């Protein structure tokens, strides 16, 4: 029997804050500048992606970007620096925060920063050219993701922090069969709500159904209103367009 539905909307993000000494060491490895002005440029985080990879995020802003990117329905995959390979996204001496591949095949090398580069500054203009060149070598365009863009996506970020937390609690369980069953139900039902989904397949715990829905959303097989509305039992779900 599943746990009460209300349980799922109190989940906290399953991230781990790395101790300060390790923060300094890994900040050097990641070649990130020390935090300035915006407090969200501080701290180092370790999170796990849906495939279980442990990812190192060099600031609070990078953590917000992680949820922002994971929840973007137009994004297919995202590559981040990992604990094992902190310089995995390095090219021509430039380290990127993420390499995003969209569902249409376009790619972006991203830097997450508080403010955009000031192109009236010759030094910043020169940096931009080096970033664009490095991104081109990786077959991508160079993009800055700033505080203003993350702030406009607060709803998505909060929702995906909670959704990923719920998934991580059950990620050790096999979910493939349950995902197929839920997708089949959703295909038949059309648009529905999370509350309705939790009544399907009553022999399975609600915890596993939430985790399966989270992974279906991340695989972009189903869609939701999580960009506009708070994650709840009233969250709307439907099959995504291919």
């Amino acid at each position: 029997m599943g746990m009460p539905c209300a349980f799922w909307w109190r989940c906290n993000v399953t991230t781990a804050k790395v101790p300060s000494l390790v923060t300094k060491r890994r900040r050097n490895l990641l070649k990130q500048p020390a935090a300035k002005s915006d407090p969200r440029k501080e701290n180092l985080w370790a999170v796990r992606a849906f495939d279980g990879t442990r990812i190192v995020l060099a600031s609070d802003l990078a953590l917000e970007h992680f949820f922002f990117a994971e929840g973007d329905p137009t994004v297919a995959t995202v590559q981040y620096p990992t604990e094992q390979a902190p310089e995995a996204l390095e090219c021509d001496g430039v380290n990127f925060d993420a390499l995003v591949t969209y569902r249409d095949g376009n790619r972006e090398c991203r830097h997450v920063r508080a403010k955009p580069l000031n192109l009236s500054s010759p030094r910043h203009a020169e940096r931009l050219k080096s970033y664009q060149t490095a991104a081109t070598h990786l077959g991508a365009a160079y993009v800055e993701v700033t505080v203003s863009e993350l702030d406009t996506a607060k709803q998505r970020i909060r929702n995906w922090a909670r959704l990923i937390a719920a998934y991580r609690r059950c990620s050790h369980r096999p979910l493939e069969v349950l995902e197929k069953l839920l997708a089949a139900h959703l295909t038949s039902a059309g648009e529905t709500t999370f509350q309705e989904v939790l009544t399907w397949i009553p022999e399975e715990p609600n915890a596993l159904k939430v985790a399966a829905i989270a992974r279906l959303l991340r695989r972009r097989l189903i869609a939701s209103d999580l960009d506009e509305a708070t994650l709840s039992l009233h969250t709307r779900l439907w099959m995504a367009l291919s």
Side-chain angles (χ1 to χ4, degrees), residues 1-5 8 198 201-209:
M1 183 175 180
M3 298 184 72
C5 297
W8 298 109
L198 294 179
I201 319 174
E203 65 274 16
E204 293 288 353
N206 284 343
L208 294 186
K209 284 182 269 190

Side-chain angles (χ1 to χ4, degrees), residues 4 54 64 79 99 102 104 129 137 176 179-180 205 217:
R54 197 163 189 255
E64 290 187 21
Q79 184 180 350
L99 174 59
Y102 286 93
D104 64 6
K129 287 177 61 178
H137 288 169
E176 290 80 5
E179 287 177 38
K180 290 179 181 179
L217 283 165

Side-chain angles (χ1 to χ4, degrees), residues 2-43:
M3 298 184 72
C5 297
F7 169 83
W8 298 109
W9 318 126
R10 301 193 193 104
C11 292
N12 294 318
V13 58
T14 53
T15 58
K17 214 172 199 178
V18 182
S20 58
L21 290 177
V22 180
T23 296
K24 293 177 182 178
R25 178 172 177 271
R26 286 187 179 160
R27 192 183 296 279
N28 289 333
L29 287 174
L30 291 169
K31 298 182 181 177
Q32 294 291 335
K36 297 178 182 178
S37 66
D38 194 307
R40 285 182 291 175
K41 292 174 70 177
E42 298 176 351
N43 301 318

Side-chain angles (χ1 to χ4, degrees), residues 113 116-129 131:
R113 59 176 78 248
L117 291 171
N118 178 8
L119 298 186
S120 64
S121 162
R123 185 174 56 130
H124 282 199
E126 189 63 28
R127 280 186 187 175
L128 178 62
K129 287 177 61 178
Y131 297 160

Side-chain angles (χ1 to χ4, degrees), residues 18 58 69 93 116 151 158 168 177 183 225:
V18 182
D151 283 348
R158 293 191 188 103
R168 291 305 314 163
V177 173
D225 62 349

Side-chain angles (χ1 to χ4, degrees), residues 81-191:
T82 66
E83 188 174 46
Q84 293 74 24
E87 295 183 348
L89 301 183
E90 188 272 339
C91 182
D92 294 343
V94 177
N95 288 281
F96 295 107
D97 296 311
L99 174 59
V100 174
T101 302
Y102 286 93
R103 295 174 67 188
D104 64 6
N106 288 323
R107 284 156 51 102
E108 291 179 352
C109 286
R110 292 182 178 179
H111 276 155
V112 183
R113 59 176 78 248
K115 296 179 181 179
L117 291 171
N118 178 8
L119 298 186
S120 64
S121 162
R123 185 174 56 130
H124 282 199
E126 189 63 28
R127 280 186 187 175
L128 178 62
K129 287 177 61 178
S130 66
Y131 297 160
Q132 290 173 332
T133 299
T136 299
H137 288 169
L138 292 174
Y142 174 68
V143 172
E144 294 176 313
V145 178
T146 63
V147 165
S148 60
E149 185 172 1
L150 294 174
D151 283 348
T152 61
K154 283 294 186 186
Q155 189 67 75
R156 178 197 294 170
I157 291 168
R158 293 191 188 103
N159 286 339
W160 277 80
R162 297 163 71 193
L163 196 61
I164 291 175
Y167 169 76
R168 291 305 314 163
R169 286 174 168 83
C170 298
S171 60
H172 62 288
R173 299 284 297 275
L175 297 171
E176 290 80 5
V177 173
L178 182 55
E179 287 177 38
K180 290 179 181 179
L181 291 173
L182 290 175
H185 275 274
L186 192 54
T187 299
S188 299
E191 185 177 316

